[in-house]
Structures are given as structure tokens and as C-alpha cells.
Amino acid sequence: MGVSRRTLALQTGAIAAAVALAAAGCSSSKSSSGGSSNSGTGSGSGTSIADRNSVNAATVKQGGKITWTIEKTVQDWNPLTSLGNTFDYAQTTNGIYPDVFVPQPDYSLVLNTDLIAGDPVVTNASGSTPQSIVYHIQPSAKWSDGTPITADDFIYLWQAQNGTNPNVDVASTTGYSDVASVTGSDNGKTVTVTFKANQPFSDYKSLFSSILPSHVAKQHGDVAASFTWLDANAPTVSGGPFEIAPGGVSADKSLIKTVKNPQYYGKPANLDEVDFRAITDSSQEPTALANNEVDGIYPQPELDLVNRVKSISGVDYHLNQGLQWEHIDLNLRNTAFGGPANADQSAPAKMALRQAMFTAFDRQGLVDRTVKQFDSAAAVLNNRMVVPGQPGYQDNVSAMYPANGDLAKAKQILTTAGYKGVGSALVDPSGKAVPAFSMRYTVGNAIRQTTCNLFAQAMKELGITVNVSSTDALGKTLAQTDAQHQWDIIDFAWVDTPFPNSANQPIYTTTTQGNPMSNYGYYSNADVDKWLADATVNPDQTAREKDLNEADAQVTKDAYTLPLYQKPTMIAYRNTLGNVRDNPTQIGPTYNIAQWGLKS
């Protein structure tokens, strides 16, 4: 998200399915390479994608404590729920809940050999015989309370995410819904995953991330109840190199103290303690860094913030273009845009309203006024499924929604559809006034606030009122959990994963009214459902790319979400820290938190 970075974009714990919301936004999956990088510092140099994994590599000392910045107070602890699928939340749990495969800064995937002994054995990946995967868990792998990590933990993740229980609040079921069974043998240290007949899964490496402690879950009810409990409560045990210190969560959840897990079965962490401090106003992050209140920040960059970071001595910083992308979404449950019945979304007048709104918006002007001022590579994005540089990228948007906007065309769309009062006070073809819409953005994000204000100004030219306001909880707002967290239009970012074939599915697939997974605006199109489902199983890469682009073109026509630009990422840290680096995928910089340390 959040982004709802899944993560700002939002981040789902499952790499593939999960789309991450960034604190400033939210996330989806993408694969391969692409993007550009600038680096500067107090020292620093440009970094190519190929070199991203080795930035700031250093020999470090044992011991020490640092404070890292997140941009949201942690409200949810289960990164696999629709609420917890948030980038900043996941930064605190990456060192606690282990993954089988870990995304690297260059978008490659590395097996977590602390957890898994040897490469998983995959059979029948493209045949009619059911596909299977066998994992061998390290004999020494255990939770911090001494309970072994076993097949039971894998089974629990599958049961929660396979889509059979509508009461489970899950961010995604992609991949898990194709699995017929998960079984254990060898005292639970061997896990066998068997897929349904004729349903191989192309992105199997995305499965089993953010592995949760099933033995703790079972103390708190059935799968649905325990999954919710794990979301509402800070982790009590750890399967990673860090754990939350006793009493380590402040009352307002703005400070999370994590300490080295003394029971960790892999290579121990270098640092004794990593504290996570929430600074929800990004403009205050450079000040905190300059005053030595924090040792590193990962803000949503904007011009003044970048310039302030450049002026801080003893700090290295890097700007990259990665797998985050900014977008505007419409809530299609709003009757003006669609309605409770999915068929209402295709009503010609309602579709015309949505198309006109997106047509009128000057995306290029937005980019020029914001991100391009500090990132010369910034450009309008014209695809939702992949970003430039990834296989299959093509422009599926600008033919309908010109980068510079087209106000005259937008007005004509409305007039042709039978709207009156175009440009003054819009009235729909039935004679009903088009209502004012609420547009939300994450509090403290200046660029997102600018985006919303520019969008509102453009809509005023059509005779539409858009009321802009911030939200203190992106995940809750996207899920519309209460009266304070509602939206008609929203601006956030998806933080992509290296798995475009599967990660896009939960964002755009028709879902039940009660559980949107990551399809927070309840978009529905049967053809898109079909194309995205095929992309997860089709063994042919060219066919999968065609599926994604067919789906993307249809989402463009249906005017559900408007891609804006590929978001620059920014990391800044004290130059005494080693092995800290940007990871512009959904997992973020704490992907290698055990390797962080103070330089020797």
C-alpha cells in the first residue's frame, strides 16, 4: 500500500500477491529491472541496478544501537492482512517474520538459507500433472520461545490465504488459492506443497513470506480469529534475527524497540538494537537526522527535503527509481462512479464521468511541478502492471488520457453522455447533481497533497467539487474501517514486488463486498479476471505479458485507477553505518537488517 508502500505503497507479506502500501502509498508486483539511480551525499556516487546489492558494503563491528525512521505509527502487525499490508509496518517485522525468498535491491531473489536447507524441489511446473514444491526447513530453525519452525507454520499461512474462509482478512490469495494441500513430514521439517490439477503457479517463489508462528496463533482461536489477533498484537515471538524488546512498543506506537534475538538459528545480527521511530511529517525527517535523533531515514522525497539532506554532513544519500508507482484510484462503490452492484460500473454515464475526470488531469504538469524538480528521470507512467525497463512494458494509457490532459475532450465526453452544467455545477443525465467527492492522501506527504490539490482544481473546471483531506492511517482508510477513514478518491502508491504475473491479481480481480483483498475500490471486470488468472499459470512468458497488457488496457478504458509516475525512492543514513542500502522493492531497506552494523 500505504506507499501504502505495499507498501507507501501497501506491502503484502506475500511477495507475489502482495502489493505493498507505502506510508506514503501502496504496492503491487513487478519483475525484472529498469529505472535509473542518482546518488549523492555528504559523499556518494551513482548506482546502476546491477550494483545495487553491493552499495555501502563494509566490514562492521559487533554491537551497537541505531534508530531507523518509519513514516507511520504501527497500527497493524500482521503484514498479510489488508490492514497490515503496509510498507512501514513491514519494516519493523522484516527482521522478525522470515521469508523463504528475499527480494534484493537489483530485483533478484535470494533463498533464505538460514531457514531453508537447499533449493526447493519443484516438479511438473508446466505439465498437466499437479505441480509440487518440496521445502526442507533447517533442523535448527526455531521460534525465539524454542518452538521449532515446522510445516505447521507453512500450513497455517496457506489456510489463511487460500481464499476458502471469507472471514479471514487477507491482503491476497494469489498462488495460495491454487494449492490443493500443504503437508509435513520428517517431524515437520519437510514441507510438501501440491497444487491443484492443471493449475501450476508461475511465481512460486513469491509464496511463504512473512511466516507467522502457528503455535501462537492456535492459542487465539480459529484461523480467522487468530489471523486478526496477530494483526492487532505486536509479535510475541520471533523467527528472525531480531525480536521486539519486552515493553518495546510505546503507548502511542511511535517507537518500536527491537533487539538481537539470542535464540536465532542463523548468523546473528551485528547490532544489539534497532529502534524504529515514527516521524509522520516527512519534512521533520532531515531535522531528526541532522540532530542525531535518528541514524537513517527513508522518506518520500520532495525537492526541499532532498536539498536539506544534501546539506547534512556525515550522511550518505541515494535516489533510485524502483518498483513504486503513484496513482489515483476511484471508489467504485460510490453510486456516482458505479454502485454496490458490479454491473453498475459499466453504466455508460458513470463510465463517462470517470473517463472525463482522468482525461482532464494534467499528469505531465504534476510531474514537472513535483518529482522532476529533484529527479531528472521522472516521467509520466502509462502502465499499471509493469514499470519501464521490465519485460512487457508498453503504453496503454496516454491514447485515452493524454499526459498533459485535455480539458476540452473531457468536457465533450460529459456532454455527449448527457451531463448538464459542465464547467459550472455538474448534473448527471437523470437530473441528479453530481455529489462532492472526498479525496484523501497520507498525512505529512507534501507531494501527495499537491497532487490532490491539482486534481481538485482540474475537476472544478468540469463542474465537480473535490474536497481534499489527509488521513492518519492509510490502511484503515483504504479498507474504510470507520467513519473517519472513508474515501471517494485516493492518492497513494503501490510498492511492487518482482512478480508482476501474480502480484497484480489481488489489486484488480473481482472480489466479495466484505473482503476487497487489495482491490480497495472494488473494481470488477470479468475479462480482467480472466487475463490476470491466466498470467499466474501460463508457462509462456510472451503470453503472460500479453495477459498483463490486455488487462491494463481494459482498466484504462474502465477508468478505475490513473497511473501517475514511477516514484523515486530516497535513503539517507549516517556514513558510520555499513551494509545499509536502498531496496526499492516491496521489502524495503530492512531486507538485510541482520547485516547492518557500525563500520569497523
PDB file of all heavy atoms in Angstrom, residues 518-542:
ATOM      1  N   SER A 518      -6.767  -6.610  -1.946  1.00  0.00           N
ATOM      2  CA  SER A 518      -6.082  -5.356  -2.251  1.00  0.00           C
ATOM      3  C   SER A 518      -6.820  -4.544  -3.312  1.00  0.00           C
ATOM      4  O   SER A 518      -6.312  -3.523  -3.776  1.00  0.00           O
ATOM      5  CB  SER A 518      -4.653  -5.646  -2.713  1.00  0.00           C
ATOM      6  OG  SER A 518      -3.920  -6.258  -1.681  1.00  0.00           O
ATOM      7  N   ASN A 519      -8.006  -4.977  -3.684  1.00  0.00           N
ATOM      8  CA  ASN A 519      -8.839  -4.258  -4.648  1.00  0.00           C
ATOM      9  C   ASN A 519      -9.755  -3.320  -3.866  1.00  0.00           C
ATOM     10  O   ASN A 519     -10.957  -3.537  -3.745  1.00  0.00           O
ATOM     11  CB  ASN A 519      -9.652  -5.272  -5.472  1.00  0.00           C
ATOM     12  CG  ASN A 519     -10.480  -4.617  -6.565  1.00  0.00           C
ATOM     13  OD1 ASN A 519     -10.524  -3.397  -6.699  1.00  0.00           O
ATOM     14  ND2 ASN A 519     -11.170  -5.438  -7.341  1.00  0.00           N
ATOM     15  N   TYR A 520      -9.155  -2.266  -3.311  1.00  0.00           N
ATOM     16  CA  TYR A 520      -9.852  -1.438  -2.340  1.00  0.00           C
ATOM     17  C   TYR A 520     -10.999  -0.624  -2.939  1.00  0.00           C
ATOM     18  O   TYR A 520     -11.900  -0.207  -2.218  1.00  0.00           O
ATOM     19  CB  TYR A 520      -8.858  -0.510  -1.643  1.00  0.00           C
ATOM     20  CG  TYR A 520      -7.809  -1.256  -0.859  1.00  0.00           C
ATOM     21  CD1 TYR A 520      -6.514  -1.408  -1.350  1.00  0.00           C
ATOM     22  CD2 TYR A 520      -8.112  -1.827   0.364  1.00  0.00           C
ATOM     23  CE1 TYR A 520      -5.554  -2.100  -0.637  1.00  0.00           C
ATOM     24  CE2 TYR A 520      -7.161  -2.525   1.080  1.00  0.00           C
ATOM     25  CZ  TYR A 520      -5.881  -2.660   0.578  1.00  0.00           C
ATOM     26  OH  TYR A 520      -4.927  -3.359   1.284  1.00  0.00           O
ATOM     27  N   GLY A 521     -10.956  -0.379  -4.248  1.00  0.00           N
ATOM     28  CA  GLY A 521     -12.031   0.361  -4.888  1.00  0.00           C
ATOM     29  C   GLY A 521     -13.092  -0.531  -5.486  1.00  0.00           C
ATOM     30  O   GLY A 521     -14.013  -0.056  -6.150  1.00  0.00           O
ATOM     31  N   TYR A 522     -12.991  -1.843  -5.268  1.00  0.00           N
ATOM     32  CA  TYR A 522     -13.978  -2.839  -5.719  1.00  0.00           C
ATOM     33  C   TYR A 522     -14.197  -2.804  -7.235  1.00  0.00           C
ATOM     34  O   TYR A 522     -15.317  -2.898  -7.727  1.00  0.00           O
ATOM     35  CB  TYR A 522     -15.308  -2.631  -4.984  1.00  0.00           C
ATOM     36  CG  TYR A 522     -15.243  -3.034  -3.536  1.00  0.00           C
ATOM     37  CD1 TYR A 522     -14.989  -2.086  -2.545  1.00  0.00           C
ATOM     38  CD2 TYR A 522     -15.414  -4.352  -3.138  1.00  0.00           C
ATOM     39  CE1 TYR A 522     -14.912  -2.442  -1.210  1.00  0.00           C
ATOM     40  CE2 TYR A 522     -15.341  -4.722  -1.810  1.00  0.00           C
ATOM     41  CZ  TYR A 522     -15.089  -3.760  -0.848  1.00  0.00           C
ATOM     42  OH  TYR A 522     -15.008  -4.124   0.478  1.00  0.00           O
ATOM     43  N   TYR A 523     -13.125  -2.683  -7.968  1.00  0.00           N
ATOM     44  CA  TYR A 523     -13.203  -2.767  -9.430  1.00  0.00           C
ATOM     45  C   TYR A 523     -13.607  -4.170  -9.853  1.00  0.00           C
ATOM     46  O   TYR A 523     -13.193  -5.161  -9.242  1.00  0.00           O
ATOM     47  CB  TYR A 523     -11.847  -2.418 -10.029  1.00  0.00           C
ATOM     48  CG  TYR A 523     -11.735  -2.669 -11.515  1.00  0.00           C
ATOM     49  CD1 TYR A 523     -12.445  -1.891 -12.430  1.00  0.00           C
ATOM     50  CD2 TYR A 523     -10.905  -3.674 -12.006  1.00  0.00           C
ATOM     51  CE1 TYR A 523     -12.322  -2.119 -13.790  1.00  0.00           C
ATOM     52  CE2 TYR A 523     -10.777  -3.892 -13.369  1.00  0.00           C
ATOM     53  CZ  TYR A 523     -11.491  -3.123 -14.264  1.00  0.00           C
ATOM     54  OH  TYR A 523     -11.375  -3.354 -15.611  1.00  0.00           O
ATOM     55  N   SER A 524     -14.397  -4.258 -10.932  1.00  0.00           N
ATOM     56  CA  SER A 524     -14.836  -5.569 -11.401  1.00  0.00           C
ATOM     57  C   SER A 524     -14.961  -5.597 -12.918  1.00  0.00           C
ATOM     58  O   SER A 524     -15.659  -4.767 -13.509  1.00  0.00           O
ATOM     59  CB  SER A 524     -16.198  -5.927 -10.776  1.00  0.00           C
ATOM     60  OG  SER A 524     -16.642  -7.184 -11.230  1.00  0.00           O
ATOM     61  N   ASN A 525     -14.246  -6.539 -13.537  1.00  0.00           N
ATOM     62  CA  ASN A 525     -14.376  -6.777 -14.967  1.00  0.00           C
ATOM     63  C   ASN A 525     -14.008  -8.235 -15.216  1.00  0.00           C
ATOM     64  O   ASN A 525     -12.890  -8.659 -14.899  1.00  0.00           O
ATOM     65  CB  ASN A 525     -13.470  -5.844 -15.768  1.00  0.00           C
ATOM     66  CG  ASN A 525     -13.670  -5.981 -17.263  1.00  0.00           C
ATOM     67  OD1 ASN A 525     -13.300  -7.004 -17.852  1.00  0.00           O
ATOM     68  ND2 ASN A 525     -14.256  -4.975 -17.890  1.00  0.00           N
ATOM     69  N   ALA A 526     -14.922  -9.000 -15.775  1.00  0.00           N
ATOM     70  CA  ALA A 526     -14.716 -10.441 -15.950  1.00  0.00           C
ATOM     71  C   ALA A 526     -13.536 -10.738 -16.859  1.00  0.00           C
ATOM     72  O   ALA A 526     -12.818 -11.735 -16.650  1.00  0.00           O
ATOM     73  CB  ALA A 526     -15.991 -11.081 -16.506  1.00  0.00           C
ATOM     74  N   ASP A 527     -13.317  -9.920 -17.887  1.00  0.00           N
ATOM     75  CA  ASP A 527     -12.188 -10.161 -18.785  1.00  0.00           C
ATOM     76  C   ASP A 527     -10.857  -9.944 -18.056  1.00  0.00           C
ATOM     77  O   ASP A 527      -9.900 -10.705 -18.238  1.00  0.00           O
ATOM     78  CB  ASP A 527     -12.271  -9.229 -20.004  1.00  0.00           C
ATOM     79  CG  ASP A 527     -13.371  -9.638 -20.968  1.00  0.00           C
ATOM     80  OD1 ASP A 527     -13.699 -10.840 -21.023  1.00  0.00           O
ATOM     81  OD2 ASP A 527     -13.890  -8.751 -21.658  1.00  0.00           O
ATOM     82  N   VAL A 528     -10.800  -8.912 -17.235  1.00  0.00           N
ATOM     83  CA  VAL A 528      -9.583  -8.663 -16.457  1.00  0.00           C
ATOM     84  C   VAL A 528      -9.328  -9.827 -15.503  1.00  0.00           C
ATOM     85  O   VAL A 528      -8.192 -10.286 -15.347  1.00  0.00           O
ATOM     86  CB  VAL A 528      -9.686  -7.327 -15.695  1.00  0.00           C
ATOM     87  CG1 VAL A 528      -8.526  -7.157 -14.718  1.00  0.00           C
ATOM     88  CG2 VAL A 528      -9.709  -6.155 -16.682  1.00  0.00           C
ATOM     89  N   ASP A 529     -10.398 -10.327 -14.884  1.00  0.00           N
ATOM     90  CA  ASP A 529     -10.253 -11.508 -14.017  1.00  0.00           C
ATOM     91  C   ASP A 529      -9.600 -12.655 -14.784  1.00  0.00           C
ATOM     92  O   ASP A 529      -8.699 -13.329 -14.283  1.00  0.00           O
ATOM     93  CB  ASP A 529     -11.622 -11.965 -13.504  1.00  0.00           C
ATOM     94  CG  ASP A 529     -12.284 -10.967 -12.572  1.00  0.00           C
ATOM     95  OD1 ASP A 529     -11.605 -10.029 -12.119  1.00  0.00           O
ATOM     96  OD2 ASP A 529     -13.482 -11.133 -12.290  1.00  0.00           O
ATOM     97  N   LYS A 530     -10.073 -12.873 -16.006  1.00  0.00           N
ATOM     98  CA  LYS A 530      -9.587 -13.996 -16.825  1.00  0.00           C
ATOM     99  C   LYS A 530      -8.127 -13.802 -17.220  1.00  0.00           C
ATOM    100  O   LYS A 530      -7.318 -14.733 -17.106  1.00  0.00           O
ATOM    101  CB  LYS A 530     -10.460 -14.127 -18.078  1.00  0.00           C
ATOM    102  CG  LYS A 530      -9.986 -15.164 -19.095  1.00  0.00           C
ATOM    103  CD  LYS A 530     -10.965 -15.284 -20.237  1.00  0.00           C
ATOM    104  CE  LYS A 530     -11.117 -13.996 -21.026  1.00  0.00           C
ATOM    105  NZ  LYS A 530      -9.919 -13.663 -21.830  1.00  0.00           N
ATOM    106  N   TRP A 531      -7.782 -12.603 -17.680  1.00  0.00           N
ATOM    107  CA  TRP A 531      -6.399 -12.360 -18.120  1.00  0.00           C
ATOM    108  C   TRP A 531      -5.411 -12.482 -16.957  1.00  0.00           C
ATOM    109  O   TRP A 531      -4.339 -13.076 -17.104  1.00  0.00           O
ATOM    110  CB  TRP A 531      -6.288 -10.966 -18.743  1.00  0.00           C
ATOM    111  CG  TRP A 531      -6.939 -10.864 -20.090  1.00  0.00           C
ATOM    112  CD1 TRP A 531      -6.877 -11.771 -21.111  1.00  0.00           C
ATOM    113  CD2 TRP A 531      -7.763  -9.787 -20.568  1.00  0.00           C
ATOM    114  NE1 TRP A 531      -7.609 -11.330 -22.192  1.00  0.00           N
ATOM    115  CE2 TRP A 531      -8.166 -10.117 -21.894  1.00  0.00           C
ATOM    116  CE3 TRP A 531      -8.200  -8.585 -20.023  1.00  0.00           C
ATOM    117  CZ2 TRP A 531      -8.974  -9.275 -22.652  1.00  0.00           C
ATOM    118  CZ3 TRP A 531      -9.006  -7.750 -20.771  1.00  0.00           C
ATOM    119  CH2 TRP A 531      -9.380  -8.100 -22.076  1.00  0.00           C
ATOM    120  N   LEU A 532      -5.767 -11.917 -15.816  1.00  0.00           N
ATOM    121  CA  LEU A 532      -4.843 -11.961 -14.684  1.00  0.00           C
ATOM    122  C   LEU A 532      -4.724 -13.371 -14.110  1.00  0.00           C
ATOM    123  O   LEU A 532      -3.661 -13.750 -13.617  1.00  0.00           O
ATOM    124  CB  LEU A 532      -5.285 -10.970 -13.604  1.00  0.00           C
ATOM    125  CG  LEU A 532      -5.178  -9.494 -14.004  1.00  0.00           C
ATOM    126  CD1 LEU A 532      -5.590  -8.588 -12.852  1.00  0.00           C
ATOM    127  CD2 LEU A 532      -3.763  -9.142 -14.467  1.00  0.00           C
ATOM    128  N   ALA A 533      -5.804 -14.137 -14.168  1.00  0.00           N
ATOM    129  CA  ALA A 533      -5.718 -15.529 -13.717  1.00  0.00           C
ATOM    130  C   ALA A 533      -4.791 -16.319 -14.635  1.00  0.00           C
ATOM    131  O   ALA A 533      -3.974 -17.123 -14.168  1.00  0.00           O
ATOM    132  CB  ALA A 533      -7.111 -16.153 -13.687  1.00  0.00           C
ATOM    133  N   ASP A 534      -4.894 -16.102 -15.942  1.00  0.00           N
ATOM    134  CA  ASP A 534      -4.032 -16.827 -16.883  1.00  0.00           C
ATOM    135  C   ASP A 534      -2.564 -16.458 -16.687  1.00  0.00           C
ATOM    136  O   ASP A 534      -1.676 -17.306 -16.816  1.00  0.00           O
ATOM    137  CB  ASP A 534      -4.457 -16.528 -18.322  1.00  0.00           C
ATOM    138  CG  ASP A 534      -3.684 -17.368 -19.333  1.00  0.00           C
ATOM    139  OD1 ASP A 534      -3.902 -18.599 -19.355  1.00  0.00           O
ATOM    140  OD2 ASP A 534      -2.857 -16.805 -20.070  1.00  0.00           O
ATOM    141  N   ALA A 535      -2.302 -15.193 -16.341  1.00  0.00           N
ATOM    142  CA  ALA A 535      -0.912 -14.759 -16.150  1.00  0.00           C
ATOM    143  C   ALA A 535      -0.230 -15.496 -15.012  1.00  0.00           C
ATOM    144  O   ALA A 535       1.000 -15.613 -14.995  1.00  0.00           O
ATOM    145  CB  ALA A 535      -0.862 -13.255 -15.906  1.00  0.00           C
ATOM    146  N   THR A 536      -1.001 -15.995 -14.055  1.00  0.00           N
ATOM    147  CA  THR A 536      -0.385 -16.696 -12.925  1.00  0.00           C
ATOM    148  C   THR A 536      -0.051 -18.147 -13.245  1.00  0.00           C
ATOM    149  O   THR A 536       0.732 -18.765 -12.506  1.00  0.00           O
ATOM    150  CB  THR A 536      -1.317 -16.686 -11.692  1.00  0.00           C
ATOM    151  OG1 THR A 536      -2.472 -17.486 -11.946  1.00  0.00           O
ATOM    152  CG2 THR A 536      -1.720 -15.270 -11.325  1.00  0.00           C
ATOM    153  N   VAL A 537      -0.611 -18.698 -14.320  1.00  0.00           N
ATOM    154  CA  VAL A 537      -0.395 -20.121 -14.601  1.00  0.00           C
ATOM    155  C   VAL A 537       0.222 -20.399 -15.960  1.00  0.00           C
ATOM    156  O   VAL A 537       0.803 -21.472 -16.184  1.00  0.00           O
ATOM    157  CB  VAL A 537      -1.720 -20.915 -14.469  1.00  0.00           C
ATOM    158  CG1 VAL A 537      -2.296 -20.777 -13.079  1.00  0.00           C
ATOM    159  CG2 VAL A 537      -2.746 -20.462 -15.518  1.00  0.00           C
ATOM    160  N   ASN A 538       0.112 -19.464 -16.899  1.00  0.00           N
ATOM    161  CA  ASN A 538       0.588 -19.713 -18.254  1.00  0.00           C
ATOM    162  C   ASN A 538       2.114 -19.863 -18.266  1.00  0.00           C
ATOM    163  O   ASN A 538       2.825 -18.983 -17.777  1.00  0.00           O
ATOM    164  CB  ASN A 538       0.177 -18.556 -19.178  1.00  0.00           C
ATOM    165  CG  ASN A 538       0.221 -18.960 -20.641  1.00  0.00           C
ATOM    166  OD1 ASN A 538       1.213 -19.514 -21.107  1.00  0.00           O
ATOM    167  ND2 ASN A 538      -0.852 -18.671 -21.358  1.00  0.00           N
ATOM    168  N   PRO A 539       2.649 -20.966 -18.790  1.00  0.00           N
ATOM    169  CA  PRO A 539       4.110 -21.161 -18.774  1.00  0.00           C
ATOM    170  C   PRO A 539       4.861 -20.292 -19.773  1.00  0.00           C
ATOM    171  O   PRO A 539       6.090 -20.190 -19.703  1.00  0.00           O
ATOM    172  CB  PRO A 539       4.256 -22.652 -19.122  1.00  0.00           C
ATOM    173  CG  PRO A 539       3.051 -22.967 -19.933  1.00  0.00           C
ATOM    174  CD  PRO A 539       1.942 -22.132 -19.354  1.00  0.00           C
ATOM    175  N   ASP A 540       4.153 -19.652 -20.699  1.00  0.00           N
ATOM    176  CA  ASP A 540       4.797 -18.884 -21.750  1.00  0.00           C
ATOM    177  C   ASP A 540       4.915 -17.412 -21.341  1.00  0.00           C
ATOM    178  O   ASP A 540       3.912 -16.744 -21.095  1.00  0.00           O
ATOM    179  CB  ASP A 540       3.998 -18.996 -23.048  1.00  0.00           C
ATOM    180  CG  ASP A 540       4.652 -18.243 -24.189  1.00  0.00           C
ATOM    181  OD1 ASP A 540       5.674 -18.733 -24.717  1.00  0.00           O
ATOM    182  OD2 ASP A 540       4.157 -17.150 -24.530  1.00  0.00           O
ATOM    183  N   GLN A 541       6.145 -16.891 -21.292  1.00  0.00           N
ATOM    184  CA  GLN A 541       6.376 -15.522 -20.853  1.00  0.00           C
ATOM    185  C   GLN A 541       5.702 -14.512 -21.782  1.00  0.00           C
ATOM    186  O   GLN A 541       5.110 -13.532 -21.322  1.00  0.00           O
ATOM    187  CB  GLN A 541       7.874 -15.233 -20.783  1.00  0.00           C
ATOM    188  CG  GLN A 541       8.245 -13.781 -20.512  1.00  0.00           C
ATOM    189  CD  GLN A 541       7.841 -13.307 -19.129  1.00  0.00           C
ATOM    190  OE1 GLN A 541       7.589 -14.127 -18.242  1.00  0.00           O
ATOM    191  NE2 GLN A 541       7.755 -12.006 -18.943  1.00  0.00           N
ATOM    192  N   THR A 542       5.760 -14.745 -23.094  1.00  0.00           N
ATOM    193  CA  THR A 542       5.120 -13.813 -24.031  1.00  0.00           C
ATOM    194  C   THR A 542       3.624 -13.763 -23.811  1.00  0.00           C
ATOM    195  O   THR A 542       3.009 -12.690 -23.845  1.00  0.00           O
ATOM    196  CB  THR A 542       5.430 -14.230 -25.482  1.00  0.00           C
ATOM    197  OG1 THR A 542       6.848 -14.216 -25.684  1.00  0.00           O
ATOM    198  CG2 THR A 542       4.771 -13.284 -26.472  1.00  0.00           C
TER     199      THR A 542
END
